Amino acid sequence: MAQIIDGKALAARLMEDTRKGVADIIAATGNPPGLAVVLVGSDPASEVYVGRKISQCRKAGINSIEHRLPADTSQADLLALIDSLNADAGIHGILVQLPLPKGLDAAPILDRISPDKDVDGFHPVNVGRLSTGTGGLVPCTPLGIMMLLDSVIDDYRGLNAVVIGKSNIVGKPVSMLLLEREATVTVTHIETKDLPDVARKADIIVAAAGAPHLVRGYWVKPGAVVIDVGITRITDHDGTTKLVGDCATHELEHARAVTPVPGGVGPMTIACLLANTVKAAKMGLK
């Protein structure tokens, strides 16, 4: 029977560390760290995500400042807001919720965020720091994935890791983090030839393709550790809906450990966002 890696419990422990970090910053400066969340338009999923982030900020003691802008906000006005937040000493982290409404180009907006306040870890400077192993702020989901793996793996040296998905948000950065731990990493995607055969050689599988139940039991060798990043809402045969991941978890009893969906990677992502905010604030004290 595969061990279930409890993302909620790990996130709770990380949140406790974050609260202690917030207390340290308040003791040093008299003020808590500040996280600015920018939401443009009223995308329902984005509203839910932003609400969760703000709620968790309050629990951690982080000062969360919301900027809600209409969907017809111009590129120039959004860039001007980013400039003002970059210049605000009370703001240590800036998060622009994606996707942005049509007519707005996300790339120059994300690039405008100061790398030292880029708590999502998407700025090219932080991507460069990650690729060269020179610090910086690491994207939240890959950071959380590594913490989940660390809970069951002590030594990565010589392990074969297969990452399914090549996105800039998850696949590429988690590959670099695994390389830093001396794992041998293969980056794949749903168009990779003979993907099941490639996956079967892995000691670690990170499934981040956004394809429900892509990874089947016969793709996974006995004793492998499987991190399921995907989350998709599907309609069952009886008309009810449910959330599923990229892995057919019920077929993975022969794995060493797996993450559930929901309750695996998701809770870690928000916890890592708050941890990054504290990290950014501490970097500003140096």
Side-chain angles (χ1 to χ4, degrees):
M1 179 69 70
Q3 174 187 344
I4 301 300
I5 305 174
D6 190 343
K8 292 181 180 178
L10 285 171
R13 289 201 286 272
L14 180 56
M15 281 286 288
E16 185 57 36
D17 291 341
T18 297
R19 280 189 284 269
K20 292 176 182 175
V22 169
D24 291 342
I25 291 167
I26 294 173
T29 68
N31 296 300
L35 174 65
V37 180
V38 180
L39 177 62
V40 186
S42 55
D43 177 77
S46 293
E47 293 271 4
V48 171
Y49 295 148
V50 166
R52 288 176 183 168
K53 290 168 184 175
I54 291 171
S55 173
Q56 291 301 307
C57 276
R58 293 191 183 117
K59 291 179 181 178
I62 293 171
N63 184 26
S64 176
I65 299 93
E66 238 184 310
H67 292 270
R68 290 180 172 263
L69 307 177
D72 60 357
T73 296
S74 70
Q75 188 93 3
D77 285 346
L78 186 49
L79 288 170
L81 173 60
I82 299 301
D83 288 342
S84 69
L85 295 172
N86 282 336
D88 188 339
I91 297 297
H92 303 93
I94 302 171
L95 183 150
V96 177
Q97 183 65 43
L98 301 178
L100 293 171
K102 290 181 180 179
L104 292 174
D105 186 353
I109 290 166
L110 297 178
D111 288 356
R112 193 71 156 251
I113 298 171
S114 166
D116 294 335
K117 296 188 178 187
D118 168 40
V119 288
D120 265 334
F122 295 160
H123 193 282
V125 168
N126 282 321
V127 173
R129 289 170 175 165
L130 176 60
S131 67
T132 55
T134 52
L137 294 165
V138 176
C140 303
T141 298
L143 183 59
I145 289 169
M146 294 308 300
M147 292 179 180
L148 291 164
L149 286 171
D150 287 344
S151 72
V152 292
I153 298 174
D154 295 323
D155 188 353
Y156 292 79
R157 289 176 296 177
L159 296 183
N160 290 316
V162 170
V163 178
I164 305 174
K166 56 184 178 61
S167 74
N168 293 331
I169 296 174
V170 179
K172 292 176 184 177
V174 82
S175 300
M176 288 185 280
L177 291 169
L178 284 162
L179 282 170
E180 282 293 311
R181 304 293 187 89
E182 308 295 346
T184 300
V185 182
T186 303
V187 181
T188 69
H189 45 82
I190 57 174
E191 299 299 333
T192 296
K193 185 177 180 180
D194 299 325
L195 181 54
D197 291 335
V198 176
R200 267 195 296 271
K201 299 173 184 177
D203 303 297
I204 300 167
I205 296 176
V206 178
H213 290 168
L214 172 70
V215 179
R216 305 298 300 271
Y218 70 93
W219 290 34
V220 179
K221 76 176 185 180
V225 177
V226 182
I227 304 295
D228 192 344
V229 186
I231 185 163
T232 305
R233 185 172 292 279
I234 65 169
T235 302
D236 221 334
H237 64 276
D238 61 358
T240 60
T241 63
K242 62 181 179 181
L243 293 173
V244 300
D246 283 0
C247 303
T249 308
H250 59 285
E251 298 180 5
L252 304 185
E253 292 186 354
H254 58 289
R256 175 183 170 190
V258 300
T259 56
V261 175
V265 174
M268 291 299 295
T269 297
I270 293 181
C272 287
L273 169 68
L274 304 189
N276 270 353
T277 303
V278 170
K279 180 178 178 179
K282 288 184 175 179
M283 284 168 28
L285 295 177
K286 295 179 180 179

